Amino acid sequence: MSVVESVASEQLSEPKMPPGVLTEGPVVDAKFRDSYISFAIMVGGSIAALVWAFWQGIGWVEVSVFAGTFIMSTIGIGFMHRYFVHRSFRCGPVMRTIFAALATMAVQGSILKWVSNHRRHHLHSDRPGDVHSPYYDGGGHPYTSFAKGMTHAQGGWVWDRETTDASYYAKDILADPIAMFFTRTRWYWYALSALIIPGAIGYAFGGVHTMIGCILFSGLFRSYLMTMATSLVNSVCHSDGRWGYRRFETHDGTTNELVTTLLTFGEGLHNNHHRFPRDAYLSHAWYEVDINGLIILGLGKLGLVHDIFAAGDAGRHRAADAGRGEPAPAAVGNAFEGDDLRAPGT
Ligand SMILES: [Zn+2]
Ligand SMILES: [Zn+2]
């Protein structure tokens, strides 16, 4: 049964939230505070950026800084996802510090919050308890409207009362002093990414006028657009094949979609990813371009990261032999079993 059919057959009784979800208390209050502040700054900044671009114009400095910081943030979220959430490779403390800085500077919440939410998403993918499914709201009630579900997945979920309990989903992050340093100091890294770096480059190349353009357009507007691009993974790439295609039959609506894949440097190969959640490299065909995966493989070649996980390789080799994409059952990786949540490092 496809995920869409299973939603249609769902009982409309009051759903029960799985463990690891909080609905009241200081963590919920803190989540709303972060959501309100981030939303106000990003949306306010984006509107100001568009007004500025229209009235004052933007030049090559603003566009270059926009492109550079968009690329930096997209790679940062790649490390957030594949290293901090799924532990698809290992590395030492210096590389972990660099990955933590880049991940936090993507301005998508702290490492602790991002990791907790994403692990809950995988465990309950497109079922009640999923953080940002297009099929169920935060309380686990099925959506009857496709548009409403997509809006929830694309960003509406940050206003859900249900909040992921980090002590249930991310004990390894709580025990990691580097990840927790960046979690505590997240607002400084957000400011560095969205204000200070764009502003400094703008001032250096064009004075105060370019500095303002860079902060608004290349800092705040870029952060918002980049977050929207990442969110396509939650909406478009859970569309049950409405957009893109499903290489593997999984028990959710996960989909590989080309535009999202290009915009997110490979994260849009989301059906492949849910099939092999711990794999560092998500491509299973020449037309599946996974830039973040290639960066990890490159860092492995340079000796900067090691123990790169590749459960899907058995499937890839067999597909090459037999000319089809079915993986060997023994090759299936699961990010929530065995020693996968081992302490990071070495
Ligand atoms: Zn997903
Ligand atoms: Zn994932």
Side-chain angles (χ1 to χ4, degrees):
M1 190 194 300
S2 79
V3 65
V4 176
E5 288 163 344
S6 79
V7 169
S9 68
E10 202 70 36
Q11 295 274 330
L12 282 171
S13 58
E14 194 53 33
K16 237 181 82 188
M17 274 291 108
V21 181
L22 304 168
T23 53
E24 57 187 5
V27 178
V28 176
D29 298 340
K31 170 197 171 161
F32 277 108
R33 197 173 56 236
D34 271 24
S35 290
Y36 277 116
I37 295 172
S38 308
F39 189 79
I41 293 174
M42 276 204 203
V43 172
S46 297
I47 293 167
L50 295 174
V51 171
W52 179 270
F54 186 75
W55 290 107
Q56 300 287 327
I58 50 162
W60 66 270
V61 179
E62 289 91 329
V63 172
S64 305
V65 176
F66 182 107
T69 50
F70 191 99
I71 291 168
M72 182 188 76
S73 310
T74 304
I75 294 171
I77 280 300
F79 289 126
M80 177 85 95
H81 183 212
R82 300 189 203 187
Y83 179 65
F84 287 104
V85 174
H86 293 294
R87 303 294 184 198
S88 65
F89 59 88
R90 291 179 185 229
C91 65
V94 174
M95 293 309 291
R96 190 153 84 249
T97 304
I98 294 169
F99 297 151
L102 287 173
T104 309
M105 285 167 70
V107 200
Q108 289 189 11
S110 70
I111 295 175
L112 185 66
K113 190 156 95 175
W114 212 103
V115 168
S116 307
N117 278 336
H118 193 73
R119 286 181 182 161
R120 175 154 74 93
H121 163 64
H122 272 267
L123 199 58
H124 303 288
S125 183
D126 291 330
R127 305 294 306 156
D130 189 351
V131 187
H132 38 55
S133 175
Y135 306 102
Y136 291 92
D137 69 13
H141 308 91
Y143 278 115
T144 48
S145 152
F146 177 76
K148 271 191 189 158
M150 280 288 149
T151 307
H152 179 251
Q154 183 64 27
W157 62 273
V158 302
W159 307 110
D160 288 340
R161 176 147 290 280
E162 293 75 16
T163 304
T164 310
D165 184 357
S167 66
Y168 186 89
Y169 278 102
K171 282 196 171 66
D172 56 328
I173 299 294
L174 286 165
D176 175 357
I178 293 175
M180 287 311 292
F181 169 78
F182 283 91
T183 292
R184 277 192 302 273
T185 57
R186 61 191 179 280
W187 288 99
Y188 295 101
W189 300 97
Y190 301 162
L192 201 61
S193 170
L195 305 174
I196 297 168
I197 291 177
I201 298 173
Y203 187 75
F205 282 92
V208 173
H209 187 272
T210 311
M211 179 185 84
I212 295 170
C214 275
I215 290 174
L216 293 176
F217 185 77
S218 326
L220 297 169
F221 185 49
R222 178 263 307 166
S223 299
Y224 183 64
L225 275 195
M226 193 266 160
T227 300
M228 287 297 102
T230 303
S231 300
L232 293 174
V233 175
N234 305 335
S235 56
V236 168
C237 293
H238 273 266
S239 67
D240 205 27
R242 179 184 280 239
W243 297 294
Y245 61 94
R246 284 166 57 77
R247 175 177 295 283
F248 301 107
E249 267 313 310
T250 52
H251 297 293
D252 53 28
T254 53
T255 302
N256 298 329
E257 199 277 321
L258 179 66
V259 175
T260 311
T261 301
L262 295 176
L263 282 175
T264 59
F265 290 5
E267 304 300 330
L269 298 168
H270 204 54
N271 175 246
N272 295 359
H273 169 59
H274 272 257
R275 183 69 178 85
F276 298 107
R278 271 196 74 189
D279 272 12
Y281 184 55
L282 306 181
S283 169
H284 285 254
W286 65 267
Y287 52 84
E288 293 179 347
V289 184
D290 179 16
I291 293 173
N292 280 340
L294 291 172
I295 290 171
I296 294 169
L297 296 181
L299 292 173
K301 289 260 185 291
L302 294 171
L304 295 171
V305 306
H306 54 95
D307 290 339
I308 296 172
F309 200 82
D313 271 3
R316 288 188 190 101
H317 296 150
R318 219 179 74 166
D321 293 342
R324 61 200 192 90
E326 280 294 303
V332 175
N334 186 317
F336 303 96
E337 287 176 358
D339 68 346
D340 291 349
L341 300 185
R342 67 206 165 190
T346 57

